[in-house]
Amino acid sequence: MAADGGSSSLQLPCVFSPKSRQFLALCAQDGRLRIWNTDSKTLHQEYVPSAHLSATCTCIAWGPCRTVKEGPQRKKRKSEAVQVEEKADLLAMGTAAGTVLIYSTAKGALHCTLDGAHSGGVNCVQWHPEESLLYSGSDDTNIVEWDLQTGKTRSKWKADHAAVTSLCVSPDGKLLLSAGHIIKMWDLDTKEVYRKFTGHSTAVTTLRFATTRPPDSNGLYFLSGAAHDRLLSVWQVREDGKDKNSVVSFTLTDEPQHIDLVTSNSKEEAVRLAVVCKDGQLHLFEHFLNGPCKKPLSPSCTVQMSDTKESPIPIPLLAAVLGADTRTVMLAYGSHLQPVMEKVEINTAERHVCLTRDVQTTLSLSMETTVSKVKTPIVNAKSKVLVPGLPGHKAPLKGTSQGSEKRKKDTDTKEVGSKVFQTRKEMVIKKTVARLPLSAVLPLVEEETKLWQKPLWVLSCCLLKCFYLQLIYLCIQQLPDLVTQLGVLYHMIESRVKMFHKLTKLDGKLYLLMTQVSANICSVELSLSHKERMSLSSPHFCSYTPGSCEAVKTQAEKFECCF
């Protein structure tokens, strides 16, 4: 759940780059990291971790902007020296395997891997604003301080008895907020607890500092949000230590999913807040933090999006960041596999704003050269169609009633869904999926999911990959609502593929074992004389016999079938 600097594992990570907001980094249901250019509205880079299913990405966070050297450059004279612009480069990704991957957008490749410190999945990562340090919180209840110059652990300490679900570093880099069910403020110099805050009944998923003032002046504020909680709580760090309860609360329509905040530098400057909730709505707040406020504050403006159909369908918002102007907001909406980015001006004087967008048209315009040029002709009752095949199949295509058309479509859909699983030819699968009508996609996905849930359903890795890639390409273009179902199906396919390799190894070991047993039995039988074999075949003697060999084979075959 993210703030601008990080994202929790409870939601799919989605974060804008700092300052210029030039990039949008997100991890979709297929486990891949995609970085989109918000200016050109195109996919900038894509990264596939080598073990992205066993170690899925759980959280991401952009590092501070820095000067990036892109390739060899000649040395300039003093008269030619210009000011170099700092750009967003490094991106930290926490994984379910307990490792942290550092990805470089300037190189377009993995910068380094931080591992060996966590025994559980990483839930949150946070960068130090000034030094080359990174902090990670995990299910193992520990916080790790990483030194990015050496790629090794600098410090590690136990945060609490529960998992660490959120982290946040203060703007001056001296304090660290950590949370599970209890929020703790740590002194980064001594690694000791500075304050404790309690008030959430569920796991805290969002922590953000709201002001840049030091804590000794009673002017340091931070906010927190929790899972299944429709309130954002604001806490004040007081000099006298009387800060057990939150001072301000912001009301939401659902739990927070993404947060962007413009901090306050003085009492005369208001805090601006943009919160995207799980239900896809955006709430804008503006408040002066100067002591407690008894009543929860409602948003000054709520933004929703819908399509342009006669019966409008809501379009979920994924993330939002505030611009320099109070009216400008950068939005990301649609699906995680194919998001739409747009900078809009919102009339904050209105309490509720609804934006209408044609997502299908926007997605088709953003596709570069992958759009098919094949057009399907419209056939009516007066048209005559020559059907290839057997001689005499030249009768005109008669128009049918609406009821018969519907029954025919349902029958064709079932036939396509059943026949496509009966072949093992890659080209047949590709051509079948490429020609599927929209009405056949959803039943095919449902039937495919049911089949792969059966224990004896095994296909080759090539066919599984081929079928999935063809189907997901069709759905991205025409049915973005199926992204969630395809993500579940993809994980199921990968788990089957990994189990298939293990079964292959087990089959080889069993075959080798049976071969050795058979060879040993045959050698023993050949070395024994006829009389000795007759004596050993009595029921009082227990050893390897042809019958025992068959019993061993039967038991091994039963064991193999169980897997």
Side-chain angles (χ1 to χ4, degrees), residues 12-33:
L12 291 173
C14 179
V15 182
F16 281 95
S17 61
K19 291 188 178 181
S20 64
R21 314 296 187 184
Q22 183 182 3
F23 300 116
L24 173 67
L26 48 82
C27 287
Q29 292 89 342
D30 58 359
R32 302 181 179 218
L33 170 70

Side-chain angles (χ1 to χ4, degrees), residues 19 216 296 316 346 369 422 482 503 525 539:
K19 291 188 178 181
D216 53 3
I346 298 175
T369 57
Q422 297 175 6
L482 292 180
L503 288 175
E525 288 180 346

Side-chain angles (χ1 to χ4, degrees), residues 415-554:
E415 290 180 357
V416 172
S418 59
K419 289 182 179 179
V420 76
F421 296 115
Q422 297 175 6
T423 180
R424 293 176 180 269
K425 297 180 180 180
E426 182 178 348
M427 290 304 300
V428 175
I429 293 178
K430 284 185 176 181
K431 292 181 179 180
T432 303
V433 177
R435 297 177 181 179
L436 280 178
L438 290 178
S439 58
V441 174
L442 183 58
L444 189 58
V445 172
E446 294 177 353
E447 186 171 353
E448 184 184 7
T449 306
K450 291 179 182 178
L451 284 175
W452 280 328
Q453 288 176 347
K454 294 181 180 180
L456 298 179
W457 182 258
V458 179
L459 284 178
S460 67
C461 306
C462 180
L463 291 178
L464 293 175
K465 292 288 187 181
C466 165
F467 192 87
Y468 173 77
L469 293 176
Q470 290 286 323
L471 194 60
I472 198 172
Y473 172 73
L474 176 66
C475 293
I476 288 175
Q477 285 188 310
Q478 300 173 350
L479 295 176
D481 295 338
L482 292 180
V483 169
T484 304
Q485 298 186 28
L486 288 172
V488 175
L489 187 60
Y490 184 79
H491 282 274
M492 190 182 301
I493 292 173
E494 288 293 337
S495 62
R496 289 279 177 176
V497 170
K498 291 198 301 183
M499 184 58 67
F500 180 74
H501 291 309
K502 294 181 180 179
L503 288 175
T504 304
K505 294 181 179 179
L506 179 61
D507 180 70
K509 292 180 180 179
L510 288 175
Y511 178 78
L512 179 62
L513 177 63
M514 295 301 302
T515 304
Q516 292 176 349
V517 171
S518 300
N520 292 335
I521 293 175
C522 292
S523 62
V524 170
E525 288 180 346
L526 291 174
S527 62
L528 293 176
S529 62
H530 177 70
K531 293 183 180 180
E532 290 174 339
R533 279 183 288 174
M534 292 296 295
S535 62
L536 293 177
S537 61
S538 62
H540 301 287
F541 185 81
C542 182
S543 180
Y544 284 114
T545 64
S548 64
C549 178
E550 293 298 329
V552 172
K553 290 183 180 179
T554 305

